[in-house]
């Protein structure tokens, strides 16, 4: 198991199964705090820098809620235009400045690898809150936590990942976590939005079981968990390509009830039409519970890297 105190959380590739299970166990302990049932001053005196250079609602508020519900405080930058990066300051210089004010950094940036670049320049922990089309490790950990709580296990499950698998940083991170378990993956996407070959090559090397298909209905019949993703307009250089694919897959209540009413339905949010509103009525619709779980998981990560878990 890694030494969490002082560690950076930049990619799920770096996490062992023991590391993952440590995060899951710690998050479970913090679930009452996330649900507002208990209070804590565990992180009293600690300051988290919340640096979000790309739009975010859930991840930013989740991180900031997590540290404050544990008694810590937040300093923040929202948007590139409100930071010195827009003046030409380097990421490493920004990191060294922020290190003087904070004990831990949560950063989202449109450039893949930006959090790692900041982490190399400083001594305090850096948590990757999403780096462009790269990875989103804290989202993947909360996704895994949600699957575990919804299904009671990870081993033996079939998980369908649906939609934009090319640019979807959440699924890039999630498959590496799932590869530690006895999980069958179904990668559902149009050919133009397939999972990157470097990711599928890694899965093959790890011996993970996965199939790739364009057929959503066949995947729904087989899966225990359906993880929907949006087609990300901001990743397309050609607007017509986005228009072509934005409604390629739409999960409706009728489809769920026809093919697999027992499945768990997840989404990293925001949704923009790929899950119909009437799906919210189904007991397996877990995406808002998933969001609540994010606070518990980020509490766990903050406590672990600050040596207070």
């Amino acid at each position: 198991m890694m030494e969490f105190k002082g560690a950076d959380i930049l990619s799920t590739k770096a996490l062992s199964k023991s590391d993952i299970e440590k995060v899951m166990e710690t998050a479970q302990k913090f679930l009452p705090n996330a649900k507002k049932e208990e209070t804590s001053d565990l992180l009293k005196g600690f300051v988290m820098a919340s640096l979000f250079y790309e739009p975010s609602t859930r991840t930013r508020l989740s991180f900031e809620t997590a540290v404050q519900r544990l008694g810590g405080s937040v300093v923040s930058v929202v948007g590139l235009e409100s930071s010195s990066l827009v003046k030409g300051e380097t990421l490493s210089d920004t990191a060294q400045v922020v290190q003087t004010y904070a004990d831990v950094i949560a950063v989202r940036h449109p450039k893949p690898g930006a959090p790692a670049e900041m982490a190399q320049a400083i001594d305090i922990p850096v948590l990757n809150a999403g780096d462009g089309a790269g990875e989103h490790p804290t989202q993947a950990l909360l996704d895994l936590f949600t699957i575990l709580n919804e299904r009671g296990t990870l081993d033996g499950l079939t998980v369908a990942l649906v939609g934009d698998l090319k640019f979807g940083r959440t699924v890039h991170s999630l498959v590496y976590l799932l590869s530690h378990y006895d999980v069958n993956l179904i990668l559902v996407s149009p050919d133009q939005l397939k999972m990157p070959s470097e990711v599928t090559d890694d899965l093959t090397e790890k011996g993970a079981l996965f199939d790739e298909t364009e057929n959503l209905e066949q995947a729904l019949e087989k899966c225990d968990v359906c993880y929907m993703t949006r087609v990300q307009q901001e990743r397309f250089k050609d607007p017509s390509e986005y228009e072509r694919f934005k409604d390629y897959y739409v999960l409706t209540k009728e489809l769920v009830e026809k093919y697999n009413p027992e499945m768990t339905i997840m989404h990293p949010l925001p949704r923009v039409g790929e899950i119909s509103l009437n799906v919210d009525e189904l007991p397996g619709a877990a995406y808002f519970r998933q969001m609540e779980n994010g606070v518990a998981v980020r509490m766990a990560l903050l406590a672990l890297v600050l040596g207070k878990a």
Side-chain angles (χ1 to χ4, degrees), residues 82-146:
S82 63
S83 78
S84 291
L85 291 174
V86 79
K87 302 175 184 178
E89 184 174 61
T90 64
L91 285 166
S92 60
D93 279 2
T94 293
Q96 291 183 70
V97 169
V98 174
Q99 179 175 232
T100 66
Y101 306 132
D103 304 290
V104 60
I105 294 174
V107 59
R108 170 170 291 189
H109 196 283
K111 174 186 169 185
E117 189 175 335
M118 297 183 82
Q120 288 172 359
I122 57 176
D123 297 322
I124 66 172
V126 175
L127 307 182
N128 179 1
D131 58 338
E135 280 209 56
H136 198 346
T138 68
Q139 176 70 46
L141 286 162
L142 76 89
D143 293 338
L144 200 75
F145 185 71
T146 300

Side-chain angles (χ1 to χ4, degrees), residues 107-289:
V107 59
R108 170 170 291 189
H109 196 283
K111 174 186 169 185
E117 189 175 335
M118 297 183 82
Q120 288 172 359
I122 57 176
D123 297 322
I124 66 172
V126 175
L127 307 182
N128 179 1
D131 58 338
E135 280 209 56
H136 198 346
T138 68
Q139 176 70 46
L141 286 162
L142 76 89
D143 293 338
L144 200 75
F145 185 71
T146 300
I147 295 170
L148 189 57
N149 279 4
E150 295 287 324
R151 305 300 303 193
T153 187
L154 293 167
D155 290 322
L157 297 180
T158 296
V159 179
L161 305 174
V162 183
D164 181 359
L165 307 187
K166 179 179 180 180
F167 299 115
R169 58 193 172 200
T170 64
V171 291
H172 298 167
S173 292
L174 182 56
V175 293
Y176 286 113
L177 297 182
L178 291 171
S179 69
H180 290 281
Y181 298 88
D182 177 22
V183 171
N184 294 310
L185 295 169
I186 308 176
L187 309 179
V188 186
S189 68
D191 190 62
Q192 295 85 345
L193 297 177
K194 288 175 66 174
M195 187 71 79
S197 59
E198 58 266 29
V199 178
T200 54
D201 288 348
D202 284 346
L203 292 177
T204 300
E205 186 176 330
K206 286 173 171 284
L209 299 175
F210 68 93
D211 293 310
E212 295 181 278
T213 181
E214 287 196 30
N215 194 310
L216 175 61
E217 288 77 9
Q218 286 182 2
L220 293 180
E221 286 184 310
K222 299 175 183 177
C223 71
D224 301 292
V225 178
C226 176
Y227 188 104
M228 298 294 295
T229 67
R230 70 183 174 95
V231 176
Q232 301 176 71
Q233 183 176 10
E234 63 271 27
R235 309 294 178 210
F236 284 81
K237 295 178 181 178
D238 183 350
S240 66
E241 283 294 286
Y242 168 71
E243 291 296 326
R244 179 183 171 195
F245 292 115
K246 68 175 184 177
D247 296 321
Y248 205 90
Y249 300 115
V250 178
L251 188 68
T252 65
K253 182 180 179 182
E254 293 71 28
L255 274 176
V256 175
E257 291 180 334
K258 177 179 180 180
Y259 289 104
N260 194 341
E262 302 302 317
M263 71 180 177
T264 298
I265 303 153
M266 297 174 59
H267 194 302
L269 300 177
R271 60 176 165 185
V272 291
E274 61 281 348
I275 297 181
S276 297
L277 293 177
N278 62 5
V279 174
D280 297 359
E281 306 165 10
L282 299 174
Y287 27 90
F288 292 115
R289 296 191 291 275

